[in-house]
Amino acid sequence: MASPMTKKVLLMGRSGSGKTSMRSIIFADYMARDTMRLSPTIDVEYSHVRFLGNLHLHLWDCGGQVCTYADRKASRATP
Amino acid sequence: MRDHIFRSVELLIYVFDIESEEQGSDFSQFADVIEAVEQHSPDARVYVLVHKMDLVKEDVRKAVFCEKEASILSQASDHLRIQCFRTSIWDETLYRAWSHIVYSLVPNTALLESHLNEYCTICGADEVVLFESTTFLVIAHATCIPHSDTHRFEKISNIIKQFKLSCRKVQAHFEGMLVQHHQLIALFENLTRSTAIMFISSNPDLMHTALISSNVAQFRAQLKICGLIG
């Protein structure tokens, strides 16, 4: 089980909406203009961010197509 | 897979592209995600970022965002706590949203703020602001003399971050910053391993860097005793 100070954070939205760009600027010191070089996220990219020493963020950067997993109708249609 | 993703979620950040041409399917996908989160992590908090707002003309930005926010909130259920922000990677709105998000995850904020308030009053500072030192997101602040610019914190996050990256380009290590003129002193320096502090004063008796640094050192010691932040 995750310790109380580990928090799971989901980052979701359509493909190309800018999820990885903003994550890279905030947590990985990217300059805004450098985010143009990022390629689309496939599936889920996990990153572990240590924040304020004892707070651990498990950031799940979910590629745009992962959102379709949320759709039960779609998952039933394609088993 | 669905269970695996949506189980034990503390926080969901959902990003909308304001320029998207498929608004209808954007919303239906959002509704599906919200439903999945509600089912598997009913206590999760939800932050919706309406992103790429720099592409919207400035004079209609507010109206466009409000309209989008209203449609987003109307899609959502009553059970989840949902908050919307407009963002752009080209200005400080990104820091405003992420500071809010991260703040909601930090434990002991009330205690931290009471220490900060006490410190601000004792030192006669106008304002003291606490930042996380790798992201420069604002964690807490104490304000004794109010300031008219409500966006100042995220602007400072943005400026300091840009400055740190510029330092890195010339292989210099960013340690702090001092801005001073005859009416104001602003000192930004590392506080603990994971935090930095900004001390702002317009009190002429306090415009001595050594004095402020020694005050900051006192505060650092106090936080260490309380074991508040590492």
Side-chain angles (χ1 to χ4, degrees):
Chain A
M1 207 184 103
S3 81
M5 297 305 268
T6 303
K7 315 259 188 181
K8 177 175 169 183
V9 176
L10 288 187
L11 188 53
M12 298 193 115
R14 293 293 290 263
S15 188
S17 58
K19 302 175 289 296
T20 307
S21 292
M22 57 170 94
R23 171 174 70 95
S24 303
I25 291 173
I26 296 290
F27 295 108
D29 285 351
Y30 271 63
M31 291 277 208
R33 61 172 177 273
D34 294 336
T35 59
M36 281 180 244
R37 287 195 232 126
L38 292 166
S39 49
T41 306
I42 308 296
D43 211 16
V44 183
E45 273 177 25
Y46 304 92
S47 53
H48 186 146
V49 180
R50 199 171 154 173
F51 201 83
L52 286 180
N54 54 0
L55 178 65
H56 296 248
L57 306 183
H58 275 171
L59 201 60
W60 295 36
D61 183 353
C62 303
Q65 70 281 37
V66 174
C67 288
T68 52
Y69 288 134
D71 187 356
R72 272 180 299 180
K73 284 156 277 174
S75 63
R76 228 179 288 144
T78 50
Chain B
M1 190 65 183
R2 189 175 189 266
D3 290 13
H4 176 63
I5 290 176
F6 294 101
R7 212 169 30 204
S8 32
V9 173
E10 182 82 22
L11 201 145
L12 164 72
I13 302 164
Y14 196 92
V15 184
F16 275 98
D17 176 353
I18 193 69
E19 287 282 277
S20 167
E21 283 163 4
E22 303 167 73
Q23 296 221 20
S25 67
D26 284 359
F27 276 118
S28 72
Q29 201 164 75
F30 172 66
D32 289 337
V33 167
I34 288 291
E35 194 196 320
V37 167
E38 196 175 5
Q39 187 190 350
H40 294 278
S41 304
D43 295 326
R45 263 162 303 180
V46 180
Y47 291 92
V48 177
L49 307 184
V50 181
H51 197 43
K52 305 190 189 176
M53 285 299 286
D54 54 283
L55 299 174
V56 178
K57 274 213 243 147
E58 198 164 359
D59 51 335
V60 290
R61 230 172 256 175
K62 197 174 177 190
V64 168
F65 171 70
C66 288
E67 194 188 325
K68 190 86 177 174
E69 184 182 34
S71 351
I72 290 164
L73 294 176
S74 71
Q75 294 272 326
S77 76
D78 303 331
H79 306 290
L80 287 172
R81 289 165 289 174
I82 298 185
Q83 213 178 341
C84 294
F85 290 95
R86 56 181 219 194
T87 52
S88 159
I89 60 169
W90 301 103
D91 62 34
E92 68 275 1
T93 53
L94 186 69
Y95 289 89
R96 179 179 174 76
W98 280 88
S99 279
H100 257 89
I101 292 170
V102 160
Y103 177 85
S104 73
L105 292 169
V106 175
N108 293 327
T109 43
L111 188 58
L112 200 56
E113 271 165 0
S114 81
H115 279 284
L116 215 54
N117 271 315
E118 193 185 14
Y119 173 65
C120 187
T121 315
I122 290 173
C123 296
D126 291 18
E127 189 159 57
V128 281
V129 191
L130 200 64
F131 298 84
E132 197 277 336
S133 58
T134 55
T135 57
F136 295 125
L137 296 172
V138 176
I139 304 302
H141 69 95
T143 307
C144 290
I145 297 180
H147 192 281
S148 57
D149 186 352
T150 53
H151 299 294
R152 62 194 181 282
F153 300 130
E154 53 267 27
K155 284 179 186 165
I156 292 167
S157 295
N158 196 11
I159 290 166
I160 301 275
K161 186 74 169 263
Q162 302 294 333
F163 184 66
K164 178 181 121 172
L165 296 178
S166 307
C167 287
R168 186 179 293 175
K169 273 197 175 155
V170 292
Q171 263 108 51
H173 179 66
F174 172 71
E175 279 183 2
M177 189 191 269
L178 174 71
V179 180
Q180 185 173 17
H181 60 70
H182 64 288
Q183 285 176 322
L184 183 107
I185 188 165
L187 177 75
F188 187 100
E189 68 169 52
N190 287 324
L191 183 68
T192 66
R193 214 175 29 176
S194 61
T195 58
I197 195 165
M198 188 166 199
F199 187 105
I200 294 159
S201 176
S202 58
N203 180 344
D205 298 335
L206 273 176
M207 298 225 186
H208 304 285
T209 323
L211 178 65
I212 296 174
S213 277
S214 121
N215 278 339
V216 169
Q218 289 277 343
F219 186 53
R220 185 180 293 129
Q222 188 193 344
L223 286 179
K224 205 168 187 176
I225 292 166
C226 305
L228 264 177
I229 37 179

